[in-house]
């Protein structure tokens, strides 16, 4: 395994759409292993491949209840809303309150290509949304909650 450099906001790659993974081979597994190590080293709860400069639909997550790998993830259900503070390893030192669904179901392949369905609430739901957004070139600063909404709380 090896640490990879995390791309910072301002680099145009972060605005690009990542491509679907078709080959579940050693090259993918190396990417996953490196992303895992890079995420933990940076004390992150999630990392998308584009953040290490690879435009593939690959995400690693650990919100504190176990490590997960999501390949070609698709959000299939969302319900409720949450407005919580969010940050990103590509925007060090910055955070903002975003508007996200409270509960999310995501369908994704594992490192061998097998499809699985995961459900997330709270931080995990936010993380599923935040990381799949990265695969479409979106960063959390594009999901900030409108001020009027925050003032009502
Ligand atoms: Ni991020």
């Amino acid at each position: 395994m090896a640490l990879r450099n995390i791309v910072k906001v301002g680099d145009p790659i972060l605005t690009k759409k990542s491509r679907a993974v078709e080959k579940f081979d050693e090259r993918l597994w190396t990417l996953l292993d490196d992303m895992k190590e890079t995420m933990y080293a940076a004390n992150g709860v999630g990392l998308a491949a584009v953040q290490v400069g690879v435009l593939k639909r690959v995400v690693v997550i650990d919100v504190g209840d176990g490590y997960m790998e999501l390949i070609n993830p698709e959000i299939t259900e969302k319900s409720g809303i949450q407005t919580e503070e969010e940050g990103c390893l590509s925007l060090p030192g910055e955070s903002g309150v975003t508007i996200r669904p409270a509960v999310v179901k995501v369908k994704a392949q594992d490192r061998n290509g097998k499809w699985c369905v995961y459900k997330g609430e709270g931080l995990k739901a936010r993380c599923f949304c935040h990381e799949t957004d990265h695969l479409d070139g979106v960063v959390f600063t594009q999901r900030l909650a409108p001020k009027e909404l925050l003032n009502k709380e």
Side-chain angles (χ1 to χ4, degrees):
M1 292 205 282
L3 284 180
R4 301 213 186 182
N5 283 327
I6 298 177
V7 172
K8 301 299 185 301
V9 164
D11 188 317
I13 198 171
L14 287 173
T15 65
K16 294 191 175 148
K17 207 171 152 76
S18 295
R19 290 180 296 272
V21 171
E22 285 167 5
K23 285 187 194 155
F24 294 81
D25 56 7
E26 267 184 49
R27 202 182 159 96
L28 172 69
W29 301 336
T30 301
L31 172 65
L32 283 162
D33 293 342
D34 289 356
M35 285 173 62
K36 179 183 184 182
E37 191 179 353
T38 304
M39 173 180 75
Y40 285 127
N43 292 313
V45 295
L47 189 69
V50 62
Q51 292 180 277
V52 295
V54 178
L55 282 168
K56 285 185 182 170
R57 301 188 81 81
V58 174
V59 162
V60 296
I61 286 176
D62 187 347
V63 297
D65 64 352
Y67 170 71
M68 301 175 71
E69 297 176 341
L70 306 179
I71 324 274
N72 299 326
E74 289 169 39
I75 289 172
T76 54
E77 274 181 58
K78 31 187 170 179
S79 58
I81 62 160
Q82 54 173 322
T83 47
E84 295 290 339
E85 193 92 10
E86 201 165 310
C88 179
L89 293 176
S90 293
L91 259 169
E94 285 190 50
S95 63
V97 175
T98 57
I99 184 158
R100 298 284 193 191
V103 183
V104 166
K105 264 190 190 169
V106 64
K107 174 179 109 164
Q109 283 167 286
D110 68 12
R111 60 165 60 207
N112 297 304
K114 185 180 167 238
W115 286 97
C116 308
V117 176
Y118 306 96
K119 187 180 171 187
E121 296 179 26
L123 175 59
K124 197 175 235 178
R126 286 211 299 287
C127 203
F128 286 158
C129 295
H130 180 117
E131 301 309 332
T132 48
D133 267 356
H134 272 303
L135 305 182
D136 293 322
V138 173
V139 292
F140 80 88
T141 47
Q142 291 162 263
R143 302 286 190 202
L144 294 178
K147 284 207 169 64
E148 311 82 68
L149 186 73
L150 299 179
N151 292 340
K152 279 185 202 159
E153 288 191 341

